[in-house]
Amino acid sequence: MLLLAMSPAAQAQQQTYHDMCVRAADMPAAYGGESDLKGNPKYPAYCDCFIEKFSARAQKAALYMQANPGKAPPGTAEEVAAQELAMRNSCRKQLGLPAALDPNKAGAPAAVQQVPGLKRK
């Protein structure tokens, strides 16, 4: 439906994002993956939901960078990660799926909290 109205370049980008989401089912939660949803029959719908949100955010960032050459969109890495977690959990809630764990929050399993290479405050 929506893909039919988009340009071929936009369709290709949307497919790339969708492929990224599908591959996330093979990644552990500690690395931002969706392994807890692997094999879930609602996973394709989850990817459709998430990719719609992810694409909109990416498009907004691209427009910002076009209007402000040489500048990254505002927000720290932590803020971007929090936005992505919120988008993931919004889609999970919409589909009745369990919430994704935030590796930066206390109470997350030790394996999730100790992601190599990430600095904790």
Side-chain angles (χ1 to χ4, degrees):
M1 295 176 276
L2 178 62
L3 287 178
L4 295 176
M6 296 186 334
S7 71
Q11 286 178 8
Q13 187 65 52
Q14 191 84 359
Q15 185 61 43
T16 299
Y17 291 153
H18 193 272
D19 292 345
M20 177 184 67
C21 182
V22 170
R23 286 191 307 271
D26 292 327
M27 294 172 44
Y31 298 97
E34 307 289 1
S35 60
D36 63 314
L37 299 180
K38 188 170 186 168
N40 189 308
K42 294 181 180 179
Y43 192 63
Y46 166 81
C47 281
D48 291 341
C49 175
F50 178 74
I51 294 315
E52 185 177 315
K53 294 175 185 305
F54 188 85
S55 296
R57 192 184 70 168
Q59 200 169 39
K60 184 178 175 183
L63 290 172
Y64 178 89
M65 290 187 296
Q66 235 177 10
N68 301 282
K71 286 188 172 182
T76 65
E78 291 83 12
E79 290 168 337
V80 170
Q83 289 171 359
E84 287 184 10
L85 181 63
M87 291 186 303
R88 290 168 62 204
N89 280 331
S90 170
C91 291
R92 283 171 174 248
K93 183 176 182 179
Q94 179 180 327
L95 294 165
L97 297 167
L101 296 176
D102 182 349
N104 297 311
K105 297 283 183 188
V112 175
Q113 289 182 12
Q114 297 173 5
V115 178
L118 288 182
K119 294 180 182 175
R120 304 282 182 225
K121 291 183 179 179

